[in-house]
């Protein structure tokens, strides 16, 4: 983690030998112009104006003037999230921690007032597992519901920002849903929680990093799960802000071997010997098994898809990172003969409040003249299974991703997948899965024409995917591995 140490006085001098063991010090900074330009050890003392040219953490190495320095840094444009305090805990230990974690006050509310079930914490012989997930996610729902069915000796709690889970998670083993809205709420809840047998963080969000020491104290086992957005879609500053939380973890899991390797390489010693492969189970696979013999034309009729067209699925939600516009540009240039055989389906059922983007895609599709359907109604697991069974080809060229469950569902149902080669999916090839690697989106034109002209040949190549996907992503295969994390 890159840091700038603010304060070139005696406290700063004493802290540097300890800080440089764990952090990469870029330079020192001090308001005293007489000190600027001099060195302490290998580090030049620079003007605070230099801080504006960097995005790294700023560590205040002063106790007496820490609050004044914090206010000064904010006044010159340093965001509060970048500011850390440095404290000496013993003769040979200095620690840094976000200023927000210290300055935030607890609320006056009791723990039970944050629980959507209004239930007090109590002693139990069951394992107590707390799942952290800020937003609503079907991964969280599936994790709690499937593990509750398979293991009767677990009781779950959930820490989140949304009330959706109260209506959508069906499990008697979910005993508490603690819902916070502000960082003050979060600190209050964490302070009042009892010690849990395990805390499972989905995913590595900045909010958890503010209180990593407090979370560590409340968990006998602390497990993190790496998400695509919290690793691939954040810059160096965002990644490094989470480093202390990663160092505190007992186990870190990711969904692909590529992510395990890249995560381990980035965090080095902080992630060493504790980062492993563990995907989420995909419940839709079981729904596909239940309805796979259902007449396909009946399903096509339900989704307004012509019986005589090859179905090409474009992305799987309504975010611009799925690059829908570029997909349209690519397929628009195909020959009329090929295009006449196809209908392009754009599943855009989530996230909410994406109407403006959905409408822009609709307008572009009308302009293109492509035969198309845009799906916007929410799909339950049964409907997701139905759609996977009628899709013939899927184009998945998201800008970044760790692993797409929708893509695996389509592969399980027999679809021919075209996936961006820049995505971390090469380990799936090593498992024996067949799918097309797309070097650039413009390559879709040529690849799709080949697939359409030789579709039966490629369907045969995809037949082995089903067995591999089930072994990789079914809850029957994965539940025991998740259970082991909590022991």
């Amino acid at each position: 983690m890159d840091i700038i140490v603010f304060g070139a006085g005696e406290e700063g001098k004493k802290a540097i030998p300890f800080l440089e063991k764990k952090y990469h010090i870029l330079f020192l900074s001090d308001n005293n112009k007489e000190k600027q330009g001099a060195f302490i050890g290998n580090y030049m003392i620079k003007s605070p104006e230099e801080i504006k040219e960097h995005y790294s953490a700023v560590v205040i190495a002063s106790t007496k003037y820490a609050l004044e320095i914090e206010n000064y840094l904010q006044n010159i444009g340093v965001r509060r999230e970048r500011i850390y305090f440095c404290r000496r805990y013993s003769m040979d230990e200095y620690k840094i921690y976000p200023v927000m974690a210290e300055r935030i006050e607890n609320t006056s509310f009791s723990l039970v007032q944050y629980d959507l079930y209004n239930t007090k914490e109590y002693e139990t012989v069951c394992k107590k597992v707390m799942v952290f997930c800020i937003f609503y996610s079907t991964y969280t729902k599936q994790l709690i519901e499937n593990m509750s069915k398979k293991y009767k000796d677990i009781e779950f709690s959930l820490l989140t920002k949304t009330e959706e889970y109260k209506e959508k998670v069906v499990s008697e083993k979910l005993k508490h849903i603690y819902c916070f809205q502000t960082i003050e709420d979060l600190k209050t809840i964490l302070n009042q929680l009892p010690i849990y047998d395990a805390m499972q963080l989905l995913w590595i969000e900045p909010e958890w990093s503010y209180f990593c020491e407090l979370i560590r104290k409340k968990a006998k086992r602390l497990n993190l799960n790496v998400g695509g957005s919290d690793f691939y879609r954040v810059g160096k500053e965002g990644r490094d802000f989470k480093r202390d939380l990663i160092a505190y973890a007992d186990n870190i899991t990711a969904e692909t071997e590529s992510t395990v390797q890249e995560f381990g390489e980035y965090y080095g010693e902080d992630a060493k010997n504790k980062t492993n492969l563990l995907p989420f189970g995909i419940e839709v696979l079981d729904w596909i098994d239940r309805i796979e013999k259902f007449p396909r034309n009946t399903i096509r009729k339900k989704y307004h898809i012509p019986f005589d067209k090859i179905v090409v699925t474009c992305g799987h939600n309504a975010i611009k990172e799925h690059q829908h516009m570029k997909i349209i540009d690519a397929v628009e240039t195909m020959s009329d003969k090929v295009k006449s055989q196809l209908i392009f389906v754009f599943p855009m059922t989530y996230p909410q409040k994406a109407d403006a983007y959905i409408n822009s895609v609709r307008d572009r599709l009308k302009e293109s003249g492509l035969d198309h359907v845009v799906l916007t109604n929410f799909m339950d697991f049964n409907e997701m299974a139905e759609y996977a069974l009628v899709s013939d080809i899927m184009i998945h060229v998201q800008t970044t991703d760790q692993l797409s469950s929708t893509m695996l569902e389509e592969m399980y149902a027999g679809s021919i997948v075209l996936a961006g080669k820049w995505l971390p999916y090469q380990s799936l090839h090593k498992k024996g899965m067949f799918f097309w690697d797309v070097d650039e989106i413009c390559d879709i034109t040529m690849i799709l024409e080949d697939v359409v002209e030789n579709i039966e040949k490629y369907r045969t190549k995809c037949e082995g995917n089903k067995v591999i996907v089930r072994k990789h992503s079914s809850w029957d295969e994965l539940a025991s591995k998740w259970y082991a994390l909590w022991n």
Side-chain angles (χ1 to χ4, degrees):
M1 178 176 175
D2 291 342
I3 64 171
I4 298 165
V5 177
F6 194 105
E10 288 304 312
E11 288 187 63
K13 291 177 183 177
K14 291 176 182 177
I16 286 170
F18 299 96
L19 293 176
E20 65 184 358
K21 292 177 183 178
K22 190 172 182 181
Y23 307 103
H24 178 228
I25 301 174
L26 297 178
F27 58 87
L28 311 183
S29 185
D30 201 286
N31 278 322
N32 188 334
K33 293 184 178 180
E34 294 182 1
K35 294 182 179 181
Q36 293 169 13
F39 283 79
I40 295 179
N42 296 320
Y43 309 111
M44 178 181 283
I45 304 170
K46 298 184 179 183
S47 163
E49 291 297 314
E50 294 283 340
I51 296 174
K52 298 178 183 179
E53 304 300 318
H54 298 267
Y55 297 95
S56 55
V58 182
V59 176
I60 299 173
S62 169
T63 303
K64 186 175 181 181
Y65 299 108
L67 299 182
E68 289 85 352
I69 294 171
E70 178 205 342
N71 289 330
Y72 169 75
L73 289 170
Q74 289 189 69
N75 286 336
I76 66 171
V78 179
R79 296 198 323 273
R80 198 178 189 189
E81 291 84 355
R82 289 177 56 196
I83 304 173
Y84 287 69
F85 283 142
C86 177
R87 292 288 184 266
R88 186 174 186 172
Y89 284 85
S90 65
M91 291 297 292
D92 60 352
E93 184 181 20
Y94 282 77
K95 289 185 178 180
I96 72 170
Y97 53 91
V99 65
M100 289 182 70
E102 179 168 295
R103 295 293 299 276
I104 291 166
E105 299 290 337
N106 287 313
T107 71
S108 59
F109 298 114
S110 66
L111 183 60
V112 72
Q113 289 176 278
Y114 288 102
D115 184 3
L116 299 182
Y117 294 150
N118 294 307
T119 305
K120 289 185 177 180
E121 292 274 354
Y122 56 86
E123 294 292 327
T124 176
V125 296
C126 292
K127 290 182 181 67
K128 290 170 67 73
V129 177
M130 168 72 80
V131 177
F132 290 57
C133 188
I134 284 180
F135 50 89
Y136 178 76
S137 168
T138 59
Y139 288 110
T140 306
K141 170 182 167 68
Q142 290 183 69
L143 178 67
I144 293 172
E145 290 182 349
N146 282 278
M147 295 303 292
S148 295
K149 291 173 187 175
K150 293 179 183 296
Y151 297 99
K152 303 304 179 186
D153 63 336
I154 301 175
E155 289 184 355
F156 287 99
S157 296
L158 183 58
L159 183 58
T160 184
K161 263 190 169 182
T162 176
E163 297 186 8
E164 282 186 79
Y165 288 108
K166 186 177 181 182
E167 301 299 325
K168 293 183 177 179
V169 176
V170 182
S171 173
E172 293 180 354
K173 306 297 281 185
L174 180 57
K175 301 299 183 180
H176 306 278
I177 302 178
Y178 295 113
C179 192
F180 70 96
Q181 298 303 319
T182 67
I183 204 80
E184 289 82 5
D185 292 335
L186 178 57
K187 186 175 184 181
T188 302
I189 293 168
L190 290 170
N191 270 322
Q192 295 185 58
L193 283 176
I195 294 173
Y196 273 71
D197 294 298
M199 288 185 166
Q200 184 70 52
L201 276 58
L202 312 175
W203 287 253
I204 311 175
E205 303 284 1
E207 285 86 344
W208 315 142
S209 297
Y210 289 131
F211 301 111
C212 56
E213 286 195 14
L214 182 53
I215 291 171
R216 175 68 271 186
K217 290 175 183 177
K218 297 291 184 174
K220 292 180 183 178
R221 295 189 69 78
L222 178 57
N223 304 320
L224 313 181
N225 178 261
V226 183
S229 60
D230 57 42
F231 183 60
Y232 291 113
R233 295 184 191 172
V234 294
K236 187 176 186 300
E237 180 186 359
R239 288 184 178 185
D240 286 347
F241 177 65
K242 302 169 184 178
R243 192 174 286 276
D244 284 346
L245 177 59
I246 287 157
Y248 280 132
D250 295 303
N251 297 286
I252 303 168
T253 57
E255 292 195 81
T256 67
E257 291 170 1
S258 298
T259 304
V260 170
Q261 181 179 345
E262 292 172 35
F263 191 91
E265 288 173 353
Y266 188 87
Y267 287 105
E269 287 297 318
D270 291 323
K272 189 175 181 180
N273 298 325
K274 57 187 179 183
T275 307
N276 299 288
L277 177 69
L278 182 56
F280 285 95
I282 302 175
E283 194 169 334
V284 175
L285 304 185
D286 296 326
W287 287 88
I288 291 172
D289 288 341
R290 290 173 199 164
I291 66 170
E292 64 180 345
K293 298 194 183 301
F294 198 74
R296 303 297 167 87
N297 282 346
T298 303
I299 301 174
R300 282 177 173 246
K301 184 177 180 180
K302 177 177 178 179
Y303 295 101
H304 308 290
I305 298 171
F307 298 165
D308 59 342
K309 294 279 189 174
I310 295 171
V311 178
V312 181
T313 302
C314 303
H316 62 77
N317 67 34
I319 62 172
K320 66 179 188 300
E321 285 78 8
H322 280 268
Q323 307 197 85
H324 301 100
M325 300 300 192
K326 290 184 179 181
I327 293 174
I328 297 169
D329 290 343
V331 299
E332 193 177 25
T333 63
M334 292 191 304
S335 69
D336 291 339
K337 178 184 175 183
V338 173
K339 286 191 288 187
S340 67
Q341 301 174 62
L342 308 177
I343 182 166
F344 295 90
V345 180
F346 289 72
M348 308 185 89
T349 60
Y350 70 95
Q352 297 178 349
K353 300 179 181 178
D355 292 350
Y357 180 67
I358 293 171
N359 288 334
S360 69
V361 173
R362 277 200 175 108
D363 291 342
R364 179 69 183 88
L365 284 166
K366 290 175 183 176
E367 178 187 293
S368 72
L370 296 170
D371 197 359
H372 67 273
V373 172
V374 178
L375 302 175
T376 57
N377 292 333
F378 171 79
M379 288 185 178
D380 59 25
F381 289 153
N382 182 68
E383 289 167 326
M384 291 163 70
E386 288 177 341
Y387 181 75
L389 286 166
V390 298
S391 177
D392 297 297
I393 301 166
M394 181 185 189
I395 300 173
H396 180 62
V397 289
Q398 198 169 340
T399 53
T400 62
D401 187 35
Q402 183 181 183
L403 185 63
S404 166
S405 61
T406 306
M407 182 186 79
L408 293 177
E409 291 159 13
E410 294 238 356
M411 293 173 76
Y412 189 77
S415 292
I416 303 162
V417 171
L418 283 59
K421 196 172 183 178
W422 55 88
L423 299 171
Y425 294 163
Q426 294 310 303
S427 59
L428 300 182
H429 279 310
K430 292 178 182 178
K431 292 179 184 295
M433 294 186 197
F434 175 80
F435 56 94
W436 277 94
D437 288 313
V438 177
D439 289 315
E440 298 180 21
I441 294 180
C442 61
D443 295 337
I444 291 171
T445 307
M446 179 182 65
I447 295 172
L448 193 54
E449 287 188 337
D450 180 31
V451 170
V452 172
E453 290 174 6
N454 301 281
I455 193 162
E456 292 306 322
K457 179 181 79 171
Y458 290 117
R459 279 177 175 154
T460 301
K461 281 180 171 286
C462 291
E463 286 176 355
N465 288 345
K466 183 170 186 174
V467 173
I468 301 170
V469 172
R470 173 157 282 281
K471 187 172 183 179
H472 182 274
S473 298
S474 72
W475 279 111
D476 287 341
E477 294 284 342
L478 296 173
S480 62
K481 297 177 183 178
W482 280 96
Y483 184 76
L485 285 180
W486 304 331
N487 285 325

